[in-house]
Amino acid sequence: MTRTEAGPEVHETQSHETDLPDDVSTPRDAATASAALQVDVAWLGEHLLGRWAEDRKVSRALVSRPEFWFQGDLSLAEHRERVLGQLHTLVSEDAVHRAFPTRFGGRDDHGGNIAAFEELVLADPSLQIKSGVQWGLFAAAILHLGTESHHERFLPGAMSLEIPGAFAMTETGHGSDVASVGTTATFDEQADEWVIHTPFRAAWKDYLGNAALHGRAAVVFAQLITKGVNYGVHAFYVPIRDAAGEFLPGVGGEDDGLKGGLNGIDNGRLHFDQVRVPRVNLLNRYGDVDEAGDYSSPISSPGRRFFTMLGTLVQGRVSLDGAATIASKLALHIAITYGTQRRQFTGGTSDEEVLLDYQRHQRRLLPRLAQTYAMSFAHEEFLDIFDRVFSGLEDTPSTREDLETIAAALKPLSTWGALDILQEAREACGGSGFLAVNRLTQLRADLDIYATFEGDNNVLLQLVAKRLLTDYARKFKGADAGAMAQYVAGQVGDAAVNRTGLRRLGQSIADFGSTARSVGFVRDEDSQRQLLTDRVHTAVAELAAKLRPASKLSPVDAAALFNRHQNDLILAARAHGELLQWEAFTRALAKVPEGDTKQVLTWLRDLFGLGLIEKDAAWYLVHGRLSAQRAAAITAYIDDRLLPRIREHALDLVGAFGLTPELVRAPIASGAEQERQDEARAYYAALRASGEAPVDEKSLRTR
Amino acid sequence: MTRTEAGPEVHETQSHETDLPDDVSTPRDAATASAALQVDVAWLGEHLLGRWAEDRKVSRALVSRPEFWFQGDLSLAEHRERVLGQLHTLVSEDAVHRAFPTRFGGRDDHGGNIAAFEELVLADPSLQIKSGVQWGLFAAAILHLGTESHHERFLPGAMSLEIPGAFAMTETGHGSDVASVGTTATFDEQADEWVIHTPFRAAWKDYLGNAALHGRAAVVFAQLITKGVNYGVHAFYVPIRDAAGEFLPGVGGEDDGLKGGLNGIDNGRLHFDQVRVPRVNLLNRYGDVDEAGDYSSPISSPGRRFFTMLGTLVQGRVSLDGAATIASKLALHIAITYGTQRRQFTGGTSDEEVLLDYQRHQRRLLPRLAQTYAMSFAHEEFLDIFDRVFSGLEDTPSTREDLETIAAALKPLSTWGALDILQEAREACGGSGFLAVNRLTQLRADLDIYATFEGDNNVLLQLVAKRLLTDYARKFKGADAGAMAQYVAGQVGDAAVNRTGLRRLGQSIADFGSTARSVGFVRDEDSQRQLLTDRVHTAVAELAAKLRPASKLSPVDAAALFNRHQNDLILAARAHGELLQWEAFTRALAKVPEGDTKQVLTWLRDLFGLGLIEKDAAWYLVHGRLSAQRAAAITAYIDDRLLPRIREHALDLVGAFGLTPELVRAPIASGAEQERQDEARAYYAALRASGEAPVDEKSLRTR
């Protein structure tokens, strides 16, 4: 990347301001200079839409139709019926079959499918998630875990929605720990049947979309037991209701009732009392049982087999990452539009100030705008890798493992990020933000569960940490702790980070010390990369050293040692995910032609990168990676340069999200606020001009 | 306070662990030693209930009746009607008149009134806020802003709910900036009437409880204009609907419709087209107009008059602070109870681990438990000060000013705190936490608006910052910047902080350097106080120096200079509020008799104090107040000592909140999870004992 920034360096002094040339020493000067630049909104919009722009546009056009829009005044039952009806419309519009085989009417298009699917969140997250249940989980499990005969027998009904289906994995007693589910599927050789059974209350399947009402069948995850041996969790196709909607014999359930959000989905519970299904209803791609009850699998390791089966479900995490990003775009479109029209309090003149001209308001919204761009670019790369794996183009155990690590790193960051962004947007719009008609509260309520379903975020980050440690250990197999320690400030940790696919860090960090001392250190791209990379490398190396004794301890003591560092493990994984986002942003930036747009996006990327460093400043300071002066300079650079510069282009940057009025639908972002402001200002101007304005008591006193 | 801690000191070394005696070097050892202590739950419960324990108990008994409980399956209209009915029941139970004069059937009991009122949040926040609208705003405005004749004419109807009323202050165009409302009240001498008028759309009153449906009258805030002079915002009693519920001539309005929460309240908009009310409907305690149209006021300064009028409304902020604290207690009761019963994943044995034994789970919930105790103790002091001012016991301009600063500091922290705590509790309960029946999502939705109503949190914190700067400037009137600077690391800032009433910091911080170097520095009470106090003092002194040039600048440039430091001003105010909380916790701790309970509460207070320092570690590091080693030692001390120790008493610490099953009403906190766990474990134990348990595939391979 070429440095295009024209501004002065930030020097390392306690009071940096006095060292800057006067002509650019204030936020106002930074803003004025920035205002001369012109962002190419149309070009940027296409850049953001990415590889599957067409699929996204088709999906956006579809959900621009009012019949898909969330309606707040519906009862639970009405909302559920409405969303079911919308799903049927999606089928008739051929909107949800892209990922299925062409011979069943699909297009074998995995990336395009997810891209189109994510956009449904703009209509109603319930619509998105209920179609995710039907086609992304229920039908996808048939496709990916089943074989030929299952596809023939079950896919058509699942695809057409003739058979709404539940994805019966989670149990009341086991959420993210799927390997421990209690439901059993015991093979009865005599009858050539599986006996699906729920042995106790905690083993009831729970939180399943389509289970309370609409589901006719379910893919049930259960411990496969044959000939007295438990081969672990496998998936079974189990009919649960008849055409009249009554439970089949042995099947029971409950309605989960009202939820914190997503109430267009009929989540519920299922339990099974010795329910029998034919042997061939085992979805047998990764494990099968023959008439004699003998088990076979193409994957001999039970652990690897389990993770392979679950790995086919990674698309849930891909699409949540994308949907969370889209919801964040919508939230910022609303809050930033409003923030540029709404006026409140005066600032030195009789005119009231526009909210986004307040530093605090910039601090609240603009770093989140930078974060949303990072989420968007990271998601695009994530989706690309997903497509290359699922299309078979690059489908190896190693790429699958990378894909899952990326999913486990990005989904927590974007889903938590969306909740935070929606909430800040809500508060930034004040009372208006709390009105349902302005959508922010409902979106936040709906997306709340994204943080804990499809893998609890804290559990996913531990998977990332485990992978980072494993890669680190592989690199140093046989090395002693002393030998390892010397690498900590060197390039050693690269192994832990590089293999995760999204990043291709070329340079060593051995030159860290000298770079760190250079003037202007805090803001160039290489320094950001070095700091963010070193944060991950060093944390992993430190944790590896602390956890090294575990191999010599009893299982209980080893578990206690790990537990003692659990929080740091999660923080390291989080930092890794943030690095992935930063690198994706930086790669996307490299593709932007030289010019104003690139300059503005560079500032935005810098705001994201320096914002991450500022957030973790204590870590960098404790580890001697930043001096106190440099840490302070980063904050000053954000406040005095980046925020005022980016504020000038905030409307264009949300404009590039391409959200039309039909997709936004929030009255406060419709221009109504501008009209109100204009009317009020015109009223006072006319009153002043008339000479009949009441005199202010204060001016009276000074007369 | 006597140091009762028996544990070892945390030494200042890079790898502190190896320096600690072996016998207490692990979290497990810390937990084991802590487990021997016994918290006196009953005593602690009373300590927490505080001065108005009886009023709180009466209120809790009342809302233990199912007729007051939130029901999730109601339509908007049904919920509104239900809450209106509950308000009538509150009247018939004599539950809402404590604050009114005895001659009208009240008790002149201001503190007890708020205490009882806050507890209503346990039934349904809509019930709390709608009764707050009726008695805390509408009727209270009549009481505090009106005089004798208003009390006689309007109080009985407002108190009895015969006249449901709206508090018409906020406008669509002006939220927290009340001084700029557009509604006018122009005096017509001929008719001896006020003409209430809405000049443009942005001046519509908005978000008013009781406005959409139930309100028969309103206290309307408008610019008082007489004889061509605007005397600023005053309050007027204006009938708005007839007995049949129809708007009176000239009055119009709209329903705000569905909101993100609090849907039991009929929020709406009002506008006035030249509506006339008698001259005597001006609530004239702080400003009056005679028949001739001449204005008079006991407060000559327009600014002080305005803030005095608004100051009578501080009880809204008091009660939100209390309600947010109670909701946080409920959230932690639910999540911690569940966290001690729920098991997930194994940790070295075949038994699954209890969630709260995971370090991350402790990190998520226990610091928030400490924060909730701090909120609770700070609120108790806040309420006490409120009562002393409103009872007339200590009602001076200075105590009123202090009260308002405390309100502006604590309300943001507790309302944001509650949202964060409710969300973390929700996520810590996974899918169960998302079910409406477990209450966390609904409480979060309802409390969302607490962050921006009764004063936007960011605006309130700026009021605090302004006060801190004003006090600082008063102290140094006439001093030059150089003379001021030398005080920064001294005791100078005291003036800025001490006068706010909650704190009585006695010692100088001149000895900071030496104390800072002592072993064990990071955790004793005095060190915490010094660090937290210095954080506020230094920030205020630094900001004062940076803002000093403002007095020589044009209004526009001065505003720009303030704006450039707006974020830091808010952060300083926030740190001040946290210090108030810490000091209240510490004073409450001093009242605890020596013994186990005091020991556990000391750890909890330390967790709160050290948690604040850890959160702001970058600031302390940049300012040289903490060394890198000490910052790291704080984190280690929290992880390895405080969390394991407090975890042992977590159930008792939430037990002391005294929330009975009728108040909790969340099935996951009812013991149902424990039953499910017990049943599942018994099932597997019986299966193993039977000899018929299926063999695990993995063990098969090793045989």
Side-chain angles (χ1 to χ4, degrees):
Chain A
M1 202 210 77
T2 307
R3 301 284 318 151
T4 54
E5 177 157 318
E9 301 297 333
V10 173
H11 297 280
E12 185 183 359
T13 63
Q14 194 102 34
S15 173
H16 69 286
E17 294 165 24
T18 53
D19 291 331
L20 291 169
D22 279 343
D23 61 335
V24 288
S25 67
T26 73
R28 273 184 295 177
D29 292 335
T32 303
S34 176
L37 305 187
Q38 187 73 44
V39 170
D40 186 340
V41 178
W43 183 90
L44 182 55
E46 288 297 316
H47 191 48
L48 281 165
L49 283 173
R51 180 174 158 193
W52 289 277
E54 279 317 305
D55 295 283
R56 293 189 187 279
K57 287 176 185 171
V58 167
S59 206
R60 287 185 177 190
L62 194 64
V63 299
S64 293
R65 286 158 45 175
E67 65 194 279
F68 287 106
W69 299 351
F70 172 81
Q71 270 182 238
D73 56 349
L74 301 181
S75 70
L76 186 63
E78 289 165 343
H79 192 188
R80 286 172 171 186
E81 274 313 298
R82 178 175 168 88
V83 172
L84 180 65
Q86 291 167 338
L87 258 64
H88 282 293
T89 309
L90 290 179
V91 173
S92 62
E93 295 285 346
D94 193 26
V96 283
H97 293 158
R98 290 178 181 81
F100 294 95
T102 46
R103 66 195 167 93
F104 290 107
R107 306 182 207 169
D108 279 315
D109 178 2
H110 298 274
N113 175 62
I114 297 291
F117 167 69
E118 291 164 359
E119 303 286 340
L120 299 181
V121 79
L122 291 166
D124 179 356
S126 286
L127 170 64
Q128 190 219 348
I129 298 301
K130 188 160 172 124
S131 49
V133 168
Q134 181 66 21
W135 295 290
L137 292 174
F138 174 65
I142 296 167
L143 176 63
H144 294 299
L145 301 181
T147 51
E148 192 70 20
S149 90
H150 304 110
H151 299 165
E152 299 292 341
R153 285 190 290 152
F154 304 133
L155 266 190
M159 287 173 66
S160 72
L161 199 60
E162 187 193 332
I163 306 291
F167 184 75
M169 187 160 79
T170 299
E171 297 180 353
T172 304
H174 287 96
S176 295
D177 184 8
V178 178
S180 302
V181 297
T183 305
T184 51
T186 310
F187 188 57
D188 177 346
E189 294 167 45
Q190 308 304 318
D192 201 36
E193 286 175 341
W194 293 103
V195 182
I196 311 289
H197 188 63
T198 307
F200 44 80
R201 173 62 186 83
W204 283 26
K205 297 296 179 182
D206 207 345
Y207 317 118
L208 319 175
N210 279 338
L213 217 53
H214 302 140
R216 296 273 305 277
V219 169
V220 178
F221 288 77
Q223 306 286 349
L224 185 158
I225 299 165
T226 180
K227 290 188 166 177
V229 178
N230 182 342
Y231 288 91
V233 176
H234 288 66
F236 302 82
Y237 186 94
V238 184
I240 58 168
R241 281 192 181 88
D242 62 24
E246 296 299 317
F247 275 129
L248 294 172
V251 181
E254 274 179 6
D255 194 323
D256 275 328
L258 197 70
K259 304 184 297 294
L262 295 184
N263 280 306
I265 307 167
D266 58 323
N267 294 82
R269 308 182 179 107
L270 293 176
H271 53 83
F272 305 92
D273 183 10
Q274 314 281 353
V275 171
R276 288 174 171 267
V277 295
R279 181 175 54 85
V280 293
N281 275 25
L282 165 64
L283 299 177
N284 63 350
R285 178 167 170 196
Y286 296 110
D288 202 3
V289 166
D290 64 19
E291 292 89 338
D294 289 322
Y295 181 85
S296 63
S297 169
I299 306 176
S300 57
S301 155
R304 200 157 64 78
R305 187 194 312 139
F306 173 73
F307 283 109
T308 303
M309 279 195 263
L310 259 60
T312 59
L313 310 168
V314 74
Q315 59 189 344
R317 291 172 193 164
V318 186
S319 57
L320 294 188
D321 183 60
T325 301
I326 293 167
S328 300
K329 290 176 179 175
L330 178 58
L332 289 168
H333 175 105
I334 294 169
I336 286 178
T337 301
Y338 184 70
T340 56
Q341 298 177 358
R342 174 78 168 180
R343 291 170 183 272
Q344 203 81 154
F345 294 103
T346 54
T349 70
S350 60
D351 253 4
E352 292 178 302
E353 290 284 320
V354 169
L355 290 189
L356 202 57
D357 285 333
Y358 287 107
Q359 186 196 52
R360 177 69 167 183
H361 217 73
Q362 294 173 5
R363 263 273 173 191
R364 292 167 71 185
L365 296 180
L366 301 185
R368 288 175 171 89
L369 179 62
Q371 180 187 358
T372 299
Y373 267 76
M375 282 158 54
S376 187
F377 291 130
H379 177 68
E380 180 69 14
E381 294 194 357
F382 179 16
L383 190 54
D384 188 65
I385 292 166
F386 165 79
D387 184 73
R388 282 187 282 124
V389 170
F390 272 65
S391 68
L393 201 67
E394 286 184 40
D395 187 4
T396 68
S398 162
T399 54
R400 287 216 170 231
E401 204 183 341
D402 285 350
L403 175 64
E404 276 161 47
T405 304
I406 292 166
L410 293 184
K411 180 263 186 184
L413 296 198
S414 55
T415 54
W416 274 332
L419 294 184
D420 168 67
I421 289 163
L422 283 159
Q423 181 64 21
E424 198 67 48
R426 190 313 268 165
E427 293 183 28
C429 295
S432 301
F434 193 59
L435 300 185
V437 74
N438 288 319
R439 301 190 63 195
L440 296 165
T441 52
Q442 185 61 46
L443 281 169
R444 202 210 162 282
D446 288 331
L447 265 67
D448 184 357
I449 193 64
Y450 287 31
T452 54
F453 75 178
E454 297 285 325
D456 178 283
N457 283 355
N458 279 295
V459 174
L460 291 179
L461 288 178
Q462 287 174 77
L463 292 181
V464 175
K466 197 172 163 185
R467 171 71 189 277
L468 292 173
L469 286 170
T470 305
D471 285 355
Y472 185 83
R474 275 183 201 152
K475 178 93 175 179
F476 294 97
K477 211 168 181 176
D480 66 76
M484 284 165 73
Q486 65 176 288
Y487 284 97
V488 169
Q491 60 184 2
V492 155
D494 285 5
V497 184
N498 272 345
R499 290 199 48 245
T500 54
L502 264 184
R503 44 186 317 273
R504 303 274 176 264
L505 179 60
Q507 93 278 16
S508 151
I509 57 164
D511 61 346
F512 187 84
S514 61
T515 308
R517 280 187 207 99
S518 67
V519 171
F521 160 75
V522 291
R523 57 155 220 223
D524 68 279
E525 179 171 305
D526 282 347
S527 300
Q528 290 175 44
R529 174 181 285 115
Q530 286 178 8
L531 284 167
L532 294 169
T533 305
D534 176 66
R535 164 83 177 89
V536 179
H537 289 189
T538 303
V540 171
E542 284 180 350
L543 284 163
K546 285 176 181 167
L547 297 171
R548 202 174 164 76
S551 60
K552 296 166 204 137
L553 299 176
S554 71
V556 170
D557 288 342
L561 182 61
F562 265 88
N563 191 40
R564 188 175 180 174
H565 299 290
Q566 190 186 29
N567 198 55
D568 280 342
L569 283 164
I570 288 172
L571 295 182
R574 195 180 167 107
H576 173 67
E578 291 165 345
L579 176 61
L580 297 185
Q581 291 178 328
W582 182 90
E583 292 192 329
F585 199 153
T586 300
R587 273 189 292 271
L589 190 56
K591 292 179 194 150
V592 181
E594 292 301 322
D596 291 0
T597 301
K598 184 166 196 149
Q599 175 61 84
V600 173
L601 282 182
T602 302
W603 289 331
L604 198 65
R605 193 279 322 272
D606 291 349
L607 179 59
F608 179 65
L610 295 177
L612 292 176
I613 294 165
E614 185 186 50
K615 172 170 74 71
D616 269 356
W619 189 94
Y620 291 101
L621 287 157
V622 163
H623 285 78
R625 302 303 198 265
L626 272 185
S627 67
Q629 290 74 15
R630 282 174 184 144
I634 286 175
T635 294
Y637 185 66
I638 290 173
D639 284 342
D640 292 345
R641 298 291 178 281
L642 293 177
L643 295 179
R645 285 170 179 159
I646 293 166
R647 184 266 175 269
E648 294 301 314
H649 305 282
L651 270 185
D652 280 348
L653 290 168
V654 295
F657 295 153
L659 299 171
T660 58
E662 295 73 25
L663 298 171
V664 176
R665 306 194 297 280
I668 43 166
S670 68
E673 181 63 23
Q674 190 64 54
E675 281 171 35
R676 283 193 293 264
Q677 295 289 341
D678 292 344
E679 183 200 0
R681 288 150 70 85
Y683 167 84
Y684 285 119
L687 191 63
R688 278 192 298 272
S690 73
E692 287 169 15
V695 176
D696 191 272
E697 178 188 11
K698 291 170 203 167
S699 62
L700 191 69
R701 281 159 195 272
T702 55
R703 277 194 299 204
Chain B
M1 200 212 78
T2 306
R3 300 280 318 148
T4 55
E5 178 157 316
E9 302 297 334
V10 173
H11 298 280
E12 185 184 358
T13 64
Q14 192 103 37
S15 173
H16 69 288
E17 292 164 26
T18 53
D19 291 329
L20 293 167
D22 279 346
D23 61 336
V24 288
S25 68
T26 73
R28 272 185 295 176
D29 292 335
T32 304
S34 174
L37 305 187
Q38 187 73 44
V39 170
D40 187 340
V41 177
W43 183 90
L44 182 56
E46 288 296 318
H47 191 48
L48 281 166
L49 283 173
R51 180 173 159 193
W52 290 277
E54 279 317 305
D55 295 284
R56 293 188 186 280
K57 286 176 185 171
V58 167
S59 204
R60 286 186 179 190
L62 194 64
V63 300
S64 293
R65 287 158 41 177
E67 67 195 276
F68 287 106
W69 299 351
F70 172 81
Q71 269 181 235
D73 55 350
L74 301 182
S75 70
L76 187 64
E78 289 166 342
H79 192 188
R80 288 172 169 186
E81 273 313 296
R82 179 176 166 86
V83 172
L84 180 65
Q86 291 168 339
L87 257 62
H88 282 293
T89 309
L90 291 179
V91 173
S92 62
E93 295 285 346
D94 192 25
V96 283
H97 294 158
R98 289 177 181 82
F100 294 96
T102 47
R103 66 194 168 93
F104 290 107
R107 306 183 207 169
D108 279 316
D109 178 1
H110 298 272
N113 175 62
I114 297 291
F117 168 68
E118 290 163 0
E119 302 286 338
L120 299 181
V121 79
L122 291 166
D124 179 354
S126 286
L127 171 63
Q128 190 219 347
I129 298 301
K130 187 159 171 124
S131 47
V133 168
Q134 181 66 22
W135 295 290
L137 292 174
F138 174 65
I142 297 167
L143 176 63
H144 294 298
L145 301 181
T147 51
E148 193 68 21
S149 89
H150 304 109
H151 300 165
E152 299 292 340
R153 286 190 288 153
F154 304 133
L155 265 189
M159 287 174 66
S160 71
L161 200 60
E162 188 192 331
I163 307 291
F167 183 75
M169 186 160 79
T170 299
E171 297 181 352
T172 303
H174 287 97
S176 295
D177 184 9
V178 178
S180 303
V181 296
T183 305
T184 52
T186 309
F187 187 58
D188 177 347
E189 293 167 47
Q190 308 304 319
D192 202 36
E193 286 175 340
W194 294 104
V195 182
I196 312 289
H197 188 64
T198 307
F200 43 79
R201 174 62 187 82
W204 283 26
K205 299 294 178 182
D206 207 346
Y207 317 119
L208 319 175
N210 278 337
L213 216 54
H214 302 138
R216 296 273 304 279
V219 169
V220 177
F221 287 78
Q223 306 286 349
L224 185 159
I225 298 165
T226 180
K227 291 188 166 176
V229 178
N230 183 343
Y231 289 91
V233 176
H234 289 66
F236 301 81
Y237 186 94
V238 183
I240 58 169
R241 282 194 181 86
D242 61 24
E246 297 301 317
F247 274 129
L248 294 173
V251 181
E254 274 180 5
D255 194 324
D256 275 328
L258 197 71
K259 304 183 297 292
L262 295 184
N263 281 305
I265 307 167
D266 57 324
N267 293 83
R269 308 182 180 108
L270 293 177
H271 53 84
F272 304 92
D273 182 12
Q274 316 281 354
V275 171
R276 288 174 170 267
V277 295
R279 182 175 54 84
V280 292
N281 275 25
L282 165 64
L283 299 178
N284 63 350
R285 180 167 170 195
Y286 296 110
D288 203 2
V289 166
D290 62 19
E291 292 89 337
D294 289 321
Y295 181 84
S296 64
S297 169
I299 306 176
S300 57
S301 155
R304 201 156 65 78
R305 186 193 313 139
F306 174 72
F307 284 110
T308 302
M309 281 196 263
L310 258 60
T312 58
L313 309 168
V314 74
Q315 59 188 345
R317 292 172 193 164
V318 186
S319 58
L320 294 189
D321 184 61
T325 302
I326 292 167
S328 301
K329 289 176 179 176
L330 177 58
L332 289 168
H333 175 104
I334 293 170
I336 286 178
T337 301
Y338 184 69
T340 57
Q341 296 176 358
R342 174 78 167 181
R343 290 169 183 273
Q344 203 82 155
F345 294 103
T346 55
T349 71
S350 61
D351 254 3
E352 292 177 304
E353 291 283 322
V354 169
L355 289 188
L356 202 56
D357 285 334
Y358 288 107
Q359 186 195 51
R360 176 70 168 183
H361 217 73
Q362 294 173 5
R363 264 275 174 190
R364 294 167 68 184
L365 296 179
L366 301 185
R368 289 177 171 86
L369 179 62
Q371 180 187 359
T372 300
Y373 266 76
M375 282 157 57
S376 187
F377 291 130
H379 177 68
E380 181 69 13
E381 293 193 357
F382 179 16
L383 189 55
D384 189 65
I385 292 166
F386 165 79
D387 184 73
R388 283 188 279 124
V389 170
F390 272 66
S391 68
L393 200 67
E394 288 184 38
D395 187 3
T396 68
S398 161
T399 55
R400 287 218 172 230
E401 203 183 343
D402 285 350
L403 176 63
E404 276 161 48
T405 304
I406 293 167
L410 293 184
K411 181 264 184 181
L413 297 198
S414 55
T415 54
W416 274 331
L419 293 185
D420 168 67
I421 289 163
L422 282 159
Q423 181 64 20
E424 198 67 48
R426 189 315 267 165
E427 293 182 29
C429 294
S432 301
F434 193 59
L435 300 185
V437 74
N438 288 319
R439 301 190 62 193
L440 296 165
T441 52
Q442 186 61 48
L443 282 169
R444 203 210 161 283
D446 287 332
L447 266 67
D448 183 359
I449 193 65
Y450 287 32
T452 52
F453 75 179
E454 296 286 324
D456 179 284
N457 282 356
N458 279 297
V459 174
L460 291 179
L461 288 178
Q462 288 174 77
L463 293 182
V464 175
K466 196 173 165 187
R467 172 70 190 276
L468 293 172
L469 286 170
T470 304
D471 284 356
Y472 185 83
R474 277 184 202 151
K475 177 92 176 178
F476 294 99
K477 211 166 180 177
D480 66 75
M484 285 166 71
Q486 67 176 287
Y487 284 97
V488 170
Q491 60 184 4
V492 155
D494 284 7
V497 185
N498 272 347
R499 290 199 47 245
T500 54
L502 262 184
R503 47 187 314 275
R504 301 277 178 264
L505 180 60
Q507 92 279 13
S508 150
I509 57 164
D511 62 348
F512 187 84
S514 61
T515 308
R517 282 187 206 99
S518 67
V519 171
F521 159 76
V522 290
R523 56 155 219 222
D524 68 278
E525 181 172 304
D526 283 347
S527 300
Q528 290 174 44
R529 174 181 287 115
Q530 286 178 8
L531 284 167
L532 294 170
T533 305
D534 176 67
R535 164 83 177 89
V536 179
H537 289 190
T538 303
V540 170
E542 283 180 352
L543 285 162
K546 285 177 180 166
L547 297 171
R548 202 175 165 74
S551 58
K552 294 166 206 137
L553 299 175
S554 71
V556 171
D557 287 342
L561 182 62
F562 266 88
N563 191 39
R564 187 173 180 175
H565 299 290
Q566 190 187 31
N567 198 54
D568 280 342
L569 283 165
I570 289 172
L571 296 181
R574 191 178 171 110
H576 173 66
E578 290 166 346
L579 176 62
L580 297 185
Q581 292 179 327
W582 183 89
E583 292 192 329
F585 198 153
T586 299
R587 274 189 292 272
L589 190 56
K591 293 178 193 150
V592 181
E594 293 299 323
D596 291 0
T597 300
K598 183 165 197 152
Q599 175 61 82
V600 173
L601 283 182
T602 302
W603 288 330
L604 198 65
R605 194 281 320 271
D606 291 350
L607 180 59
F608 180 65
L610 296 176
L612 291 176
I613 294 164
E614 187 187 48
K615 173 169 74 69
D616 268 356
W619 188 93
Y620 292 101
L621 287 157
V622 163
H623 285 79
R625 302 303 198 265
L626 273 184
S627 67
Q629 291 74 16
R630 282 174 183 144
I634 286 175
T635 294
Y637 185 66
I638 290 172
D639 284 342
D640 292 346
R641 298 292 179 279
L642 293 177
L643 293 179
R645 283 169 178 159
I646 293 166
R647 184 266 175 267
E648 294 301 312
H649 305 283
L651 269 185
D652 281 349
L653 290 168
V654 295
F657 295 153
L659 299 171
T660 58
E662 294 73 26
L663 298 171
V664 176
R665 305 194 299 280
I668 44 166
S670 68
E673 181 63 22
Q674 189 64 53
E675 280 172 36
R676 281 195 293 265
Q677 295 289 339
D678 292 345
E679 184 200 0
R681 288 151 70 86
Y683 167 83
Y684 286 119
L687 192 63
R688 279 192 297 273
S690 73
E692 287 169 13
V695 176
D696 189 275
E697 178 189 11
K698 291 171 202 165
S699 62
L700 191 70
R701 282 162 193 272
T702 56
R703 277 192 304 201

